[in-house]
Amino acid sequence: MKSSLERLGRRSFARIRRLRGLSAGSPDSAWLSARLPAALLLLPLLAAAGCSGSAAPAAPPPPRLAALIAPQSDGALAGAIRLGAEAAAKEFGYRLDYVEKEAGRPGEGQAEAASRALKEGAEALLLDPDGELQLAEVVKLAHAAGAAVITLSDAYPVDGVASAVTIDNREAGRQAGAAMAELLGGYGRVAVLGADSSAPGYEERHAGVLEELARHPAITVTEGYSCGSSSDGCSEAARQLMDEADGIVALQEQGVLSSARESLRRGASSEVKIVGFGSETEQLELLQDGVIDRLVVQSGFNAGYLGMRQADRLLRGEKPEARVALATKAVSPDSMFWMDNQKLLFPFVK
């Protein structure tokens, strides 16, 4: 080893000398010769450094974990939210677990699912809350584990939520009211079929409907009807309103479907206009068939994507937006097939 290094050093020395035009006996040649042993001592160190540079790089750390908690109803909106969250997690380099709720435990499912996700090491929880009490319990569990909570699609007045991705429900209500006024030509009787939920979003939605209809003095509004706690009660309310109104604005999915089914039951004799909220599969089918006249829709895909983006910002040490607004739009049987609306309603459309 030493002799080969010496030969290498001497060849290098000879080359330097040639480049400088030095003769073997020149003073500069003597100066270099005197320093050659020190140069040779550096060669093993240089060789070792070169060998260490070729070592295999260390394995990257595993991706950080976020969890999407399943909602109460696993419909089209829930599926679109999941697609959006998964797309963002892949883009930003996270592992996203979809945590199902345990069957047979109504009212406790999301908190239990959150507890399981936190035990697996989730640093952020994303969920479309089932209710205010459930959300408060999830936030309590998450904070105890040092994790963050991001809500999707709806907002509740619960302290400790890092970011809420939600629609402007008052604006959505105004869109529904404007759609009904257009359908009736600015004249007629409109009944508002309320929600059986205490979520604050429905109150805002209701207020927006009334605000817009108040701009049309020839339209009278009937209130005080709601779906109650059962589908039978919702169907009964829809039957009464069909006899009393020219148009029904239903604030939640069950009210929209009950009104549409009652319209189908009456057949050609039903001329009551129906405006509602939502983009579940049965609703879209009834919209396509013209039974429902307008639906105010939002993008579930965007809700999931933006929620995961807020989680990414938080986990990178940045401050997420406290509230992220989702756009809504009123679509008709014709406009639901416009390309922009297809992307809104069907997230797998490219």
Side-chain angles (χ1 to χ4, degrees):
M1 175 70 178
K2 181 176 179 181
S3 60
S4 62
L5 288 173
E6 288 177 349
R7 286 196 298 272
L8 175 62
R10 292 185 186 281
R11 284 198 299 270
S12 299
F13 168 68
R15 184 180 180 189
I16 293 171
R17 189 173 59 191
R18 286 196 302 272
L19 290 172
R20 295 187 59 181
L22 302 176
S23 64
S26 68
D28 284 343
S29 175
W31 180 85
L32 283 173
S33 297
R35 283 154 179 77
L36 178 60
L40 291 175
L41 289 175
L42 294 176
L43 289 176
L45 300 177
L46 294 174
C51 292
S52 64
S54 62
R64 301 175 77 174
L65 175 63
L68 176 61
I69 308 301
Q72 183 71 35
S73 57
D74 190 19
L77 178 63
I81 287 175
R82 181 176 179 178
L83 285 175
E86 289 174 341
K90 182 177 181 180
E91 178 179 340
F92 301 135
Y94 291 87
R95 179 180 138 213
L96 180 70
D97 282 356
Y98 186 73
V99 187
E100 299 279 3
K101 297 186 299 182
E102 293 183 5
R105 299 294 297 274
E108 298 182 8
Q110 287 192 318
E112 290 182 347
S115 179
R116 283 185 275 123
L118 293 168
K119 288 177 181 177
E120 292 295 323
E123 298 180 68
L125 302 178
L126 287 72
L127 73 158
D128 181 0
D130 287 347
E132 186 172 344
L133 293 178
Q134 274 287 287
L135 178 58
E137 182 62 22
V138 169
V139 169
K140 180 181 177 181
L141 292 168
H143 284 194
V149 175
I150 294 94
T151 59
L152 312 174
S153 184
D154 212 342
Y156 289 85
V158 173
D159 291 335
V161 173
S163 181
V165 181
T166 182
I167 68 172
D168 182 338
N169 276 287
R170 186 176 287 264
E171 173 58 23
R174 285 194 287 262
Q175 291 172 346
M180 180 57 76
E182 179 186 356
L183 288 166
L184 296 180
Y187 176 87
R189 301 166 299 167
V190 176
V192 179
L193 182 54
D196 61 358
S197 171
S198 60
Y202 288 117
E203 297 177 8
E204 288 290 307
R205 195 176 290 182
H206 190 177
V209 171
L210 298 181
E211 181 180 315
E212 181 61 33
L213 292 177
R215 298 178 61 249
H216 304 272
I219 290 180
T220 59
V221 180
T222 300
E223 298 181 74
Y225 291 86
S226 67
C227 279
S229 58
S230 69
S231 58
D232 290 342
C234 203
S235 299
E236 180 59 32
R239 277 194 291 272
Q240 292 181 20
L241 295 178
M242 284 282 177
D243 294 327
E244 301 173 5
D246 302 304
I248 297 175
V249 178
L251 300 181
Q252 71 176 70
E253 177 191 345
Q254 187 56 53
V256 181
L257 293 176
S258 293
S259 300
R261 290 164 186 163
E262 178 62 20
S263 181
L264 284 172
R265 191 183 69 82
R266 298 187 180 208
S269 64
S270 175
E271 298 180 356
V272 177
K273 304 299 183 183
I274 300 172
V275 174
F277 299 80
S279 55
E280 295 301 324
T281 302
E282 186 177 357
Q283 289 177 300
L284 296 179
E285 291 173 349
L286 291 165
L287 178 68
Q288 179 179 347
D289 293 339
V291 180
I292 296 173
D293 296 280
R294 297 287 189 278
L295 280 176
V296 178
V297 301
Q298 68 186 75
S299 171
F301 183 92
N302 287 350
Y305 184 94
L306 293 173
M308 190 62 228
R309 187 166 76 175
Q310 295 306 302
D312 171 59
R313 292 182 62 178
L314 189 145
L315 294 178
R316 285 192 289 110
E318 300 178 10
K319 186 176 181 180
E321 298 173 65
R323 191 180 186 92
V324 180
L326 291 170
T328 55
K329 181 185 291 188
V331 297
S332 68
D334 292 329
S335 68
M336 69 181 294
F337 294 108
W338 297 352
M339 181 54 69
D340 286 348
N341 292 339
Q342 285 194 57
K343 291 179 180 179
L344 185 69
L345 296 170
F346 314 109
F348 47 82
V349 174
K350 300 298 185 184

